[in-house]
PDB file of all heavy atoms in Angstrom:
ATOM      1  N   HIS A 143       1.646  10.686   8.413  1.00 94.00           N
ATOM      2  CA  HIS A 143       2.334  11.398   9.523  1.00 94.00           C
ATOM      3  C   HIS A 143       3.320  12.334   8.930  1.00 94.00           C
ATOM      4  O   HIS A 143       3.349  12.490   7.650  1.00 94.00           O
ATOM      5  CB  HIS A 143       2.990  10.369  10.411  1.00 94.00           C
ATOM      6  CG  HIS A 143       3.997   9.381   9.774  1.00 94.00           C
ATOM      7  ND1 HIS A 143       4.283   8.125  10.297  1.00 94.00           N
ATOM      8  CD2 HIS A 143       4.643   9.437   8.657  1.00 94.00           C
ATOM      9  CE1 HIS A 143       5.188   7.523   9.511  1.00 94.00           C
ATOM     10  NE2 HIS A 143       5.410   8.342   8.516  1.00 94.00           N
ATOM     11  N   GLN A 145       7.235  12.751   9.113  1.00 92.00           N
ATOM     12  CA  GLN A 145       8.441  12.152   9.691  1.00 92.00           C
ATOM     13  C   GLN A 145       9.645  12.796   8.959  1.00 92.00           C
ATOM     14  O   GLN A 145       9.654  13.070   7.864  1.00 92.00           O
ATOM     15  CB  GLN A 145       8.513  10.644   9.568  1.00 92.00           C
ATOM     16  CG  GLN A 145       8.599  10.109   8.130  1.00 92.00           C
ATOM     17  CD  GLN A 145      10.023   9.902   7.741  1.00 92.00           C
ATOM     18  OE1 GLN A 145      10.941   9.918   8.533  1.00 92.00           O
ATOM     19  NE2 GLN A 145      10.252   9.889   6.375  1.00 92.00           N
ATOM     20  N   THR A 147      12.845  11.429  10.301  1.00 95.00           N
ATOM     21  CA  THR A 147      13.886  10.687  10.820  1.00 95.00           C
ATOM     22  C   THR A 147      14.456   9.655   9.743  1.00 95.00           C
ATOM     23  O   THR A 147      15.623   9.262   9.896  1.00 95.00           O
ATOM     24  CB  THR A 147      13.497   9.865  12.064  1.00 95.00           C
ATOM     25  OG1 THR A 147      12.203   9.209  11.782  1.00 95.00           O
ATOM     26  CG2 THR A 147      13.269  10.748  13.227  1.00 95.00           C
ATOM     27  N   CYS A 148      13.620   9.253   8.831  1.00 95.00           N
ATOM     28  CA  CYS A 148      14.027   8.279   7.870  1.00 95.00           C
ATOM     29  C   CYS A 148      14.327   8.920   6.481  1.00 95.00           C
ATOM     30  O   CYS A 148      13.336   9.389   5.856  1.00 95.00           O
ATOM     31  CB  CYS A 148      12.976   7.224   7.724  1.00 95.00           C
ATOM     32  SG  CYS A 148      13.404   5.975   6.473  1.00 95.00           S
ATOM     33  N   SER A 149      15.493   8.890   6.076  1.00 93.00           N
ATOM     34  CA  SER A 149      15.875   9.499   4.765  1.00 93.00           C
ATOM     35  C   SER A 149      15.501   8.588   3.622  1.00 93.00           C
ATOM     36  O   SER A 149      15.524   9.032   2.467  1.00 93.00           O
ATOM     37  CB  SER A 149      17.340   9.907   4.800  1.00 93.00           C
ATOM     38  OG  SER A 149      18.081   8.745   4.890  1.00 93.00           O
ATOM     39  N   LEU A 150      15.250   7.333   3.858  1.00 94.00           N
ATOM     40  CA  LEU A 150      14.851   6.435   2.811  1.00 94.00           C
ATOM     41  C   LEU A 150      13.418   6.664   2.358  1.00 94.00           C
ATOM     42  O   LEU A 150      12.997   6.259   1.185  1.00 94.00           O
ATOM     43  CB  LEU A 150      14.887   4.883   3.263  1.00 94.00           C
ATOM     44  CG  LEU A 150      16.235   4.328   3.525  1.00 94.00           C
ATOM     45  CD1 LEU A 150      16.029   2.934   4.188  1.00 94.00           C
ATOM     46  CD2 LEU A 150      17.044   4.193   2.242  1.00 94.00           C
ATOM     47  N   SER A 151      12.647   7.356   3.185  1.00 94.00           N
ATOM     48  CA  SER A 151      11.154   7.384   3.004  1.00 94.00           C
ATOM     49  C   SER A 151      10.756   8.881   2.793  1.00 94.00           C
ATOM     50  O   SER A 151      11.468   9.756   3.185  1.00 94.00           O
ATOM     51  CB  SER A 151      10.434   6.854   4.150  1.00 94.00           C
ATOM     52  OG  SER A 151      10.718   5.433   4.317  1.00 94.00           O
ATOM     53  N   GLN A 152       9.600   9.039   2.187  1.00 91.00           N
ATOM     54  CA  GLN A 152       8.994  10.296   2.040  1.00 91.00           C
ATOM     55  C   GLN A 152       8.478  10.825   3.383  1.00 91.00           C
ATOM     56  O   GLN A 152       8.226  10.064   4.250  1.00 91.00           O
ATOM     57  CB  GLN A 152       7.953  10.340   0.945  1.00 91.00           C
ATOM     58  CG  GLN A 152       8.541  10.164  -0.396  1.00 91.00           C
ATOM     59  CD  GLN A 152       7.552   9.876  -1.512  1.00 91.00           C
ATOM     60  OE1 GLN A 152       6.419   9.458  -1.196  1.00 91.00           O
ATOM     61  NE2 GLN A 152       7.885   9.991  -2.748  1.00 91.00           N
ATOM     62  N   LEU A 155       5.131   9.414   4.803  1.00 95.00           N
ATOM     63  CA  LEU A 155       4.908   7.961   5.198  1.00 95.00           C
ATOM     64  C   LEU A 155       6.212   7.218   5.088  1.00 95.00           C
ATOM     65  O   LEU A 155       6.833   6.963   4.056  1.00 95.00           O
ATOM     66  CB  LEU A 155       3.914   7.311   4.146  1.00 95.00           C
ATOM     67  CG  LEU A 155       3.699   5.834   4.389  1.00 95.00           C
ATOM     68  CD1 LEU A 155       3.093   5.564   5.758  1.00 95.00           C
ATOM     69  CD2 LEU A 155       2.687   5.292   3.281  1.00 95.00           C
ATOM     70  N   CYS A 156       6.678   6.790   6.270  1.00 97.00           N
ATOM     71  CA  CYS A 156       7.793   5.853   6.409  1.00 97.00           C
ATOM     72  C   CYS A 156       7.147   4.467   6.642  1.00 97.00           C
ATOM     73  O   CYS A 156       6.708   4.224   7.803  1.00 97.00           O
ATOM     74  CB  CYS A 156       8.779   6.256   7.544  1.00 97.00           C
ATOM     75  SG  CYS A 156       9.956   4.975   7.820  1.00 97.00           S
ATOM     76  N   LYS A 157       7.162   3.594   5.726  1.00 98.00           N
ATOM     77  CA  LYS A 157       6.510   2.321   5.858  1.00 98.00           C
ATOM     78  C   LYS A 157       7.286   1.444   6.831  1.00 98.00           C
ATOM     79  O   LYS A 157       6.686   0.588   7.553  1.00 98.00           O
ATOM     80  CB  LYS A 157       6.455   1.609   4.486  1.00 98.00           C
ATOM     81  CG  LYS A 157       5.524   2.337   3.482  1.00 98.00           C
ATOM     82  CD  LYS A 157       5.472   1.459   2.201  1.00 98.00           C
ATOM     83  CE  LYS A 157       4.389   1.880   1.236  1.00 98.00           C
ATOM     84  NZ  LYS A 157       4.005   0.905   0.207  1.00 98.00           N
ATOM     85  N   GLY A 158       8.579   1.655   6.950  1.00 98.00           N
ATOM     86  CA  GLY A 158       9.367   0.855   7.907  1.00 98.00           C
ATOM     87  C   GLY A 158       8.949   1.204   9.371  1.00 98.00           C
ATOM     88  O   GLY A 158       8.807   0.336  10.212  1.00 98.00           O
ATOM     89  N   GLN A 159       8.784   2.502   9.667  1.00 98.00           N
ATOM     90  CA  GLN A 159       8.326   2.916  10.980  1.00 98.00           C
ATOM     91  C   GLN A 159       6.952   2.337  11.297  1.00 98.00           C
ATOM     92  O   GLN A 159       6.708   1.794  12.404  1.00 98.00           O
ATOM     93  CB  GLN A 159       8.294   4.484  10.993  1.00 98.00           C
ATOM     94  CG  GLN A 159       7.851   4.998  12.394  1.00 98.00           C
ATOM     95  CD  GLN A 159       7.778   6.526  12.310  1.00 98.00           C
ATOM     96  OE1 GLN A 159       8.456   7.205  11.654  1.00 98.00           O
ATOM     97  NE2 GLN A 159       6.958   7.078  13.193  1.00 98.00           N
ATOM     98  N   VAL A 160       5.983   2.423  10.222  1.00 98.00           N
ATOM     99  CA  VAL A 160       4.712   1.864  10.452  1.00 98.00           C
ATOM    100  C   VAL A 160       4.747   0.405  10.763  1.00 98.00           C
ATOM    101  O   VAL A 160       4.052  -0.095  11.658  1.00 98.00           O
ATOM    102  CB  VAL A 160       3.784   2.132   9.246  1.00 98.00           C
ATOM    103  CG1 VAL A 160       2.527   1.404   9.271  1.00 98.00           C
ATOM    104  CG2 VAL A 160       3.660   3.654   8.917  1.00 98.00           C
ATOM    105  N   ASN A 186       9.574   2.669  -2.284  1.00 96.00           N
ATOM    106  CA  ASN A 186       9.163   2.993  -0.949  1.00 96.00           C
ATOM    107  C   ASN A 186       8.882   1.675  -0.112  1.00 96.00           C
ATOM    108  O   ASN A 186       8.553   1.734   1.029  1.00 96.00           O
ATOM    109  CB  ASN A 186       8.056   3.899  -0.833  1.00 96.00           C
ATOM    110  CG  ASN A 186       6.772   3.494  -1.378  1.00 96.00           C
ATOM    111  OD1 ASN A 186       6.656   2.347  -1.884  1.00 96.00           O
ATOM    112  ND2 ASN A 186       5.651   4.259  -1.057  1.00 96.00           N
ATOM    113  N   TYR A 188      11.357  -0.527   0.124  1.00 98.00           N
ATOM    114  CA  TYR A 188      12.682  -0.980   0.538  1.00 98.00           C
ATOM    115  C   TYR A 188      12.831  -0.740   2.027  1.00 98.00           C
ATOM    116  O   TYR A 188      13.376  -1.636   2.759  1.00 98.00           O
ATOM    117  CB  TYR A 188      13.769  -0.267  -0.292  1.00 98.00           C
ATOM    118  CG  TYR A 188      15.134  -0.518   0.222  1.00 98.00           C
ATOM    119  CD1 TYR A 188      15.795  -1.736  -0.142  1.00 98.00           C
ATOM    120  CD2 TYR A 188      15.806   0.393   1.035  1.00 98.00           C
ATOM    121  CE1 TYR A 188      17.049  -2.056   0.406  1.00 98.00           C
ATOM    122  CE2 TYR A 188      17.121   0.159   1.512  1.00 98.00           C
ATOM    123  CZ  TYR A 188      17.654  -1.087   1.191  1.00 98.00           C
ATOM    124  OH  TYR A 188      18.954  -1.417   1.699  1.00 98.00           O
ATOM    125  N   CYS A 189      12.456   0.426   2.541  1.00 98.00           N
ATOM    126  CA  CYS A 189      12.736   0.779   3.942  1.00 98.00           C
ATOM    127  C   CYS A 189      12.145  -0.249   4.871  1.00 98.00           C
ATOM    128  O   CYS A 189      12.819  -0.700   5.805  1.00 98.00           O
ATOM    129  CB  CYS A 189      12.126   2.154   4.264  1.00 98.00           C
ATOM    130  SG  CYS A 189      11.991   2.530   6.017  1.00 98.00           S
ATOM    131  N   PRO A 190      10.879  -0.685   4.700  1.00 98.00           N
ATOM    132  CA  PRO A 190      10.317  -1.687   5.696  1.00 98.00           C
ATOM    133  C   PRO A 190      11.090  -3.000   5.601  1.00 98.00           C
ATOM    134  O   PRO A 190      11.370  -3.627   6.628  1.00 98.00           O
ATOM    135  CB  PRO A 190       8.877  -1.840   5.275  1.00 98.00           C
ATOM    136  CG  PRO A 190       8.781  -1.230   3.985  1.00 98.00           C
ATOM    137  CD  PRO A 190       9.782  -0.164   3.832  1.00 98.00           C
ATOM    138  N   ARG A 193      14.328  -3.117   7.475  1.00 98.00           N
ATOM    139  CA  ARG A 193      14.203  -3.191   9.000  1.00 98.00           C
ATOM    140  C   ARG A 193      13.895  -4.566   9.471  1.00 98.00           C
ATOM    141  O   ARG A 193      13.749  -4.836  10.671  1.00 98.00           O
ATOM    142  CB  ARG A 193      13.159  -2.204   9.474  1.00 98.00           C
ATOM    143  CG  ARG A 193      13.507  -0.759   9.182  1.00 98.00           C
ATOM    144  CD  ARG A 193      12.598   0.190   9.816  1.00 98.00           C
ATOM    145  NE  ARG A 193      12.792   1.578   9.321  1.00 98.00           N
ATOM    146  CZ  ARG A 193      12.444   2.713  10.025  1.00 98.00           C
ATOM    147  NH1 ARG A 193      11.969   2.510  11.270  1.00 98.00           N
ATOM    148  NH2 ARG A 193      12.669   3.832   9.480  1.00 98.00           N
TER     149      ARG A 193
HETATM  150 ZN1  LIG B   2      11.522   4.809   6.221  1.00 70.10          ZN
END
Side-chain angles (χ1 to χ4, degrees):
H143 57 205
Q145 67 87 21
T147 51
C148 176
S149 59
L150 289 174
S151 301
Q152 287 167 344
L155 180 61
C156 170
K157 293 186 172 196
Q159 183 184 330
V160 172
N186 70 350
Y188 174 76
C189 167
R193 298 188 191 207

